[in-house]
Amino acid sequence: MTANLRLGYFLPVVIVLALAVIFWSYLGEIRDGKSIQDLPSALIDKPAPTFKLPGIVPNDKGFDSASLKGKVSLVNVWASWCLPCRIEHPRIMQLAREGVPIYGINYKDKVEAAKGFLSELGNPYKAIGADRTGKVAIDWGVYGYPETFVVDTKGHIRYRHVGPIMADDLANKIRPLIKALSK
Amino acid sequence: MRNGFFSIAILAAFMATFSARTVEPSEVLKDPILEQRARALSQNLRCLVCQNQSIDDSNADLARDLRVVVRERLTAGDTDDQIIDFVVARYGEFVLLKPPVNARTMLLWGGPALVLLFGALGLVLWFRRRTTTSTEGLSAEEEKRLAALVDDTAVKGESD
């Protein structure tokens, strides 16, 4: 009887504590500065989608999935109308100066506007594909702009960053990952 | 009462037109059966920009593109499952507004039943304990005390 009574008193406390632990662990992601709206990519550790995109200007060589093999590279989805793309651009330029091959997917942009963006802020891209319909972006599972993918030497997607790359993203996630994958 | 019913009916009518308006006329397929399947599929696909709306409800750019992709694949002859797989492969299971039943979602789907089971169990235990205590009756000593108390109040009652 007394044993039962004790269990009855402590059970709610145990349940509440267990829930607190569960909720706290979920909140951990927010405490780490991650937005709950940032979704994990469904393509992590999977091969990058197969595609072939023309360049911004018809005579440009464009960008296709075959170029992604051999070296650890970055694929950056951007548009001239996307303000956060402007914000992250200096970091993309910085990575390009460090020798990281960066490929651009120019999302639903106008030729003149895209060219203007690059001549104003600099062109860090090894090659750019113009995705006028947004179909290739859907193949990459893109839902916000900018988005940046780290692709390993085998052409597999290893990391996806949603939103502008800031200095701490560069220092804490992207640079260490590129370094680890390049070994 | 009648007024209340009318306002609800009017509100429902408005809401029906609003949700129907998101799918633009240019997107609608000629085949009404395919279009119906497209609507049903899009109602279960989450718009990842707004996250709490389906792509059928949302007028976000990406939602529109996905609606078009769903319709293109339907016209190409894909089954409903193939289309769902196509979208899940790109955006993950999070795009499904109704999560699938599998090992990872067991707690999600089974949770309510589990809580109900525990609640019922608790209720049964509680009732059983109550009935056992009430049928135990009074011990001889308690009977004596009760009698004394009743006598006491009886005497007091007379004096009042």
Side-chain angles (χ1 to χ4, degrees):
Chain A
M1 191 69 198
T2 44
N4 259 346
L5 205 68
R6 229 171 260 158
L7 188 73
Y9 277 124
F10 283 109
L11 201 61
V13 178
V14 169
I15 290 171
V16 166
L17 283 178
L19 286 175
V21 168
I22 291 169
F23 293 154
W24 186 253
S25 67
Y26 276 102
L27 282 171
E29 293 189 348
I30 300 171
R31 270 183 280 122
D32 294 342
K34 219 180 122 198
S35 161
I36 40 165
Q37 297 212 321
D38 287 357
L39 307 173
S41 170
L43 295 167
I44 295 296
D45 294 333
K46 295 206 175 113
T50 313
F51 63 92
K52 192 169 167 55
L53 283 172
I56 294 176
V57 185
N59 352 337
D60 280 359
K61 63 179 169 153
F63 166 41
D64 61 62
S65 37
S67 16
L68 290 173
K69 278 179 192 156
K71 239 185 139 185
V72 178
S73 54
L74 244 64
V75 175
N76 179 236
V77 185
W78 66 283
S80 65
W81 46 260
C82 139
L83 187 64
C85 300
R86 228 161 240 277
I87 294 169
E88 74 166 1
H89 204 74
R91 256 81 61 194
I92 306 280
M93 292 294 286
Q94 176 62 39
L95 277 173
R97 276 195 295 273
E98 289 165 20
V100 180
I102 301 168
Y103 298 93
I105 293 178
N106 183 218
Y107 180 80
K108 288 191 180 177
D109 217 340
K110 293 204 173 86
V111 177
E112 287 311 313
K115 274 163 65 187
F117 180 96
L118 295 175
S119 60
E120 186 194 333
L121 300 169
N123 183 352
Y125 304 109
K126 235 183 133 185
I128 303 174
D131 185 15
R132 303 245 151 76
T133 58
K135 289 268 162 62
V136 171
I138 287 179
D139 284 342
W140 282 81
V142 171
Y143 70 96
Y145 314 93
E147 271 190 30
T148 306
F149 296 85
V150 177
V151 181
D152 68 13
T153 50
K154 286 184 199 139
H156 289 158
I157 295 171
R158 298 301 288 271
Y159 178 71
R160 188 254 295 262
H161 185 88
V162 180
I165 295 174
M166 303 315 273
D168 58 333
D169 300 318
L170 206 60
N172 300 332
K173 284 175 199 157
I174 293 170
R175 266 204 208 104
L177 183 63
I178 292 173
K179 209 173 159 189
L181 291 175
S182 301
K183 272 175 198 161
Chain B
M1 193 64 205
R2 223 193 150 86
N3 262 343
F5 174 75
F6 269 119
S7 41
I8 286 169
I10 288 168
L11 192 71
F14 265 112
M15 274 160 62
T17 45
F18 278 139
S19 66
R21 266 177 54 194
T22 329
V23 181
E24 289 160 33
S26 59
E27 296 171 19
V28 175
L29 296 174
K30 281 191 189 113
D31 185 340
I33 296 167
L34 281 189
E35 177 61 23
Q36 209 176 1
R37 276 173 65 198
R39 292 296 302 271
L41 283 169
S42 345
Q43 272 158 16
N44 188 31
L45 290 173
R46 188 191 299 274
C47 164
L48 288 121
V49 181
C50 349
Q51 300 201 354
N52 274 327
Q53 268 186 314
S54 72
I55 59 167
D56 194 63
D57 280 336
S58 167
N59 45 20
D61 227 27
L62 180 66
R64 200 194 73 89
D65 288 349
L66 281 171
R67 282 199 300 272
V68 170
V69 165
V70 164
R71 281 167 175 79
E72 275 174 6
R73 300 203 71 85
L74 273 171
T75 7
D78 273 17
T79 64
D80 290 2
D81 285 344
Q82 279 173 321
I83 293 169
I84 294 293
D85 288 346
F86 176 90
V87 184
V88 168
R90 281 152 184 78
Y91 288 98
E93 276 179 355
F94 185 68
V95 289
L96 303 175
L97 282 171
K98 189 179 164 192
V101 186
N102 59 32
R104 275 177 54 224
T105 56
M106 227 158 55
L107 201 64
L108 179 72
W109 284 102
L114 220 64
V115 170
L116 193 72
L117 200 77
F118 274 119
L121 206 73
L123 215 60
V124 165
L125 286 178
W126 187 66
F127 269 118
R128 193 180 281 171
R129 187 188 295 165
R130 230 171 55 137
T131 41
T132 47
T133 43
S134 62
T135 50
E136 262 170 18
L138 299 176
S139 64
E141 199 180 326
E142 281 167 338
E143 291 274 17
K144 213 189 268 173
R145 243 187 97 201
L146 180 67
L149 282 167
V150 169
D151 279 350
D152 196 29
T153 42
V155 171
K156 263 191 181 169
E158 267 168 24
S159 68
D160 275 347

